[in-house]
C-alpha cells in the first residue's frame, strides 16, 4: 500500500494498470485520484499530461463533492451563509470540488484493477465529512470506473460527483472528429459561467446528429440525456469509423462539453482538446439543488462510468 503524501512527484504519483491481453493500459494519478492516461495498442483514448506538476486544466480529474462551479463560493445551509474557498479567482467561483490536489491511498491493487480512497474532512464552507472510494478496472477494449461515496457525518451531507477526461480517438485531430450527445436541453450561463436559464438545444449546442467538431467553440452543460440499455452514451467518432464512448449510469444526468485550443500537451505543446465531463449535478448545484444528492449519516451511494473503444480492430465492439 502506498502512503499518502502531498510531496509525491513523478512516477511515484502513478499506478499502472494493464488489461489481460496487454492491449489496453492506464495510469491513475495519486494526486486527486484521476485518470492520467489510457491507451489502446499504444494509441491514446484520453489526453495525458506532464506528471511533474498538477493536472493541467483538471485533466482526468475527479470532481467531488461537487463538480463545476459554485457562484462566489457561497451557499446557504440550515439558515447559515457558508463561504467556500474561491479557487477560480478570475470568475470569483469555487470550482470543481475539494479533491483535485488531495492525496489518495491505494487500498488494493492487481494488474488490471486498483481501488483508491480519500476523505473530505469538514471545513469552512463544507461542514461535512464524506469518503470517496474509486475503483478502476481495465479490459481489452474499455475502462470501467466505479465510485462509492460514504457520508461519515452525523448529519445529512450534500454530494455530487463529476469527471473531467479530455477524450481522444488515437492521433486523429479533434477538428476531424464527430461528437454525438443525445441531449434535449442545455443550461445557458452568464459571465461567471453559472446557469441562468434552461433551454432546448439548438444550433451549436445541438449535438444529437453527431456534427463534425471542426473549429466549433463549446462550453455547454447539457441535460435530459437519452438512455440506451440503461446508460447514457456520448461518442467521439473518427472518419475511419473508430470511436470512443464515454458511458455513464443514469446517476450522471448532466454533461459538460468543453473545447480548448490551449491544452498543454507534453509532446506538442498547446493543442486543441475536448473535455467530455459527466456530472451527477448541474453547475452551482449547492445553490440550485439541480441533481444534488443528500446522503443520510452512514448512507453509501455507488455510481459508475467508463470509456470503451468501438471499431478499433483488435478491440471488440461493445
Amino acid at each position: 500500500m502506498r502512503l499518502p503524501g502531498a510531496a509525491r512527484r513523478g512516477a511515484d504519483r502513478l499506478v499502472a494498470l494493464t488489461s489481460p491481453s496487454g492491449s489496453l493500459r492506464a495510469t491513475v494519478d495519486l494526486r486527486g485520484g484521476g485518470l492520467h492516461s489510457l491507451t489502446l495498442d499504444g494509441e491514446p483514448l484520453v489526453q495525458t499530461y506532464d506528471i511533474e506538476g498538477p493536472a493541467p486544466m483538471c485533466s482526468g480529474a475527479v470532481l467531488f463533492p461537487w463538480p463545476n462551479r459554485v457562484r462566489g463560493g457561497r451557499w446557504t445551509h440550515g439558515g447559515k451563509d457558508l463561504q467556500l474557498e474561491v479557487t477560480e479567482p478570475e470568475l470569483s467561483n469555487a470550482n470543481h470540488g475539494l479533491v483535485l490536489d488531495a492525496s489518495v491511498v491505494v487500498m488494493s491493487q492487481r494488474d488490471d484493477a486498483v481501488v483508491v480512497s480519500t476523505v473530505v474532512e469538514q471545513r469552512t464552507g463544507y461542514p461535512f465529512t464524506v469518503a470517496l472510494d474509486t475503483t478502476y478496472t481495465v479490459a481489452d477494449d474499455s475502462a470501467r470506473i466505479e465510485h462509492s461515496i460514504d457520508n461519515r457525518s452525523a448529519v445529512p451531507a450534500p454530494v455530487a460527483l463529476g469527471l473531467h477526461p479530455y477524450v481522444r480517438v488515437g492521433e486523429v485531430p479533434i477538428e476531424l472528429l464527430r461528437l454525438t450527445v443525445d441531449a434535449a436541453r442545455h443550461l445557458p450561463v452568464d459571465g461567471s459561467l453559472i446557469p441562468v436559464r434552461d433551454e432546448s438545444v439548438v444550433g451549436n449546442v445541438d449535438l444529437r446528429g453527431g456534427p463534425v467538431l471542426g473549429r466549433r467553440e463549446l462550453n455547454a452543460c447539457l441535460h435530459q440525456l437519452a438512455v440506451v440499455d440503461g446508460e447514457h452514451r456520448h461518442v467521439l467518432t473518427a472518419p475511419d469509423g473508430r470511436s470512443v464512448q464515454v458511458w455513464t449510469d443514469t446517476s450522471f444526468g448532466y454533461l459538460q462539453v468543453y473545447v480548448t485550443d490551449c491544452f498543454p500537451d507534453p509532446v506538442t505543446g498547446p493543442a486543441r482538446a475536448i473535455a467530455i465531463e459527466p456530472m451527477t449535478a448541474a453547475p452551482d448545484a449547492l445553490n440550485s439543488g439541480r441533481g444534488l444528492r443528500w446522503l443520510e449519516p452512514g448512507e453509501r451511494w455507488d455510481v459508475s462510468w467508463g470509456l470503451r473503444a468501438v471499431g478499433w480492430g483488435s478491440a471488440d465492439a461493445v
Side-chain angles (χ1 to χ4, degrees):
M1 180 183 296
R2 296 174 188 260
L3 297 177
R8 285 196 189 106
R9 294 185 178 181
D12 187 49
R13 276 174 50 180
L14 299 180
V15 173
L17 306 176
T18 305
S19 67
S21 73
S23 60
L24 192 133
R25 298 175 182 271
T27 50
V28 175
D29 192 343
L30 297 181
R31 181 175 180 170
L35 185 65
H36 168 258
S37 71
L38 185 68
T39 61
L40 178 60
D41 295 329
E43 293 200 68
L45 304 185
V46 300
Q47 180 70 55
T48 191
Y49 54 89
D50 186 345
I51 200 65
E52 291 301 325
M57 305 179 78
C58 295
S59 181
V62 178
L63 316 176
F64 176 78
W66 72 85
N68 219 291
R69 294 164 174 84
V70 178
R71 186 188 293 277
R74 296 184 295 272
W75 66 294
T76 301
H77 173 61
K80 296 181 179 179
D81 294 331
L82 300 178
Q83 178 67 58
L84 296 158
E85 180 184 358
V86 171
T87 55
E88 189 182 41
E90 63 273 22
L91 296 178
S92 299
N93 295 321
N95 197 25
H96 286 333
L98 300 170
V99 301
L100 293 177
D101 295 322
S103 285
V104 301
V105 178
V106 175
M107 304 303 292
S108 65
Q109 184 178 2
R110 61 176 194 258
D111 288 346
D112 64 347
V114 66
V115 180
V116 298
S117 180
T118 191
V119 177
V120 173
E121 302 285 355
Q122 61 179 330
R123 65 194 67 194
T124 301
Y126 191 80
F128 312 96
T129 299
V130 289
L132 175 66
D133 294 338
T134 301
T135 302
Y136 290 88
T137 306
V138 295
D140 288 337
D141 56 3
S142 61
R144 179 182 179 88
I145 302 96
E146 300 167 295
H147 304 276
S148 292
I149 301 164
D150 180 21
N151 180 15
R152 297 185 180 177
S153 311
V155 296
V159 293
L161 183 134
L163 298 313
H164 209 294
Y166 288 85
V167 184
R168 301 180 65 171
V169 184
E171 301 293 347
V172 179
I174 295 298
E175 294 91 330
L176 301 181
L177 300 177
R178 293 183 177 273
L179 174 61
T180 305
V181 178
D182 196 348
R185 301 189 68 81
H186 76 118
L187 302 175
V189 298
D190 62 13
S192 296
L193 301 183
I194 301 296
V196 292
R197 296 187 305 281
D198 186 337
E199 297 179 350
S200 296
V201 294
V202 293
N204 201 47
V205 296
D206 187 353
L207 305 173
R208 292 172 291 185
V212 176
L213 285 170
R215 300 304 300 177
R216 176 183 302 236
E217 295 183 2
L218 278 171
N219 193 3
C221 180
L222 306 168
H223 70 113
Q224 285 196 9
L225 308 172
V227 179
V228 178
D229 296 331
E231 299 176 347
H232 302 308
R233 294 177 183 171
H234 321 302
V235 187
L236 270 182
T237 305
D240 62 9
R242 293 180 301 161
S243 67
V244 175
Q245 293 181 359
V246 179
W247 66 268
T248 75
D249 70 25
T250 56
S251 300
F252 291 88
Y254 297 84
L255 183 77
Q256 189 80 22
V257 179
Y258 170 57
V259 176
T260 178
D261 284 319
C262 54
F263 187 94
D265 187 289
V267 176
T268 65
R272 191 163 173 84
I274 180 167
I276 301 176
E277 310 169 40
M279 304 183 298
T280 65
D284 203 30
L286 286 174
N287 285 305
S288 71
R290 287 180 181 268
L292 195 65
R293 178 77 176 255
W294 286 85
L295 295 184
E296 295 295 324
E299 184 179 0
R300 194 173 183 91
W301 181 31
D302 298 324
V303 300
S304 60
W305 69 286
L307 300 103
R308 59 169 70 105
V310 178
W312 286 61
S314 63
D316 293 328
V318 177

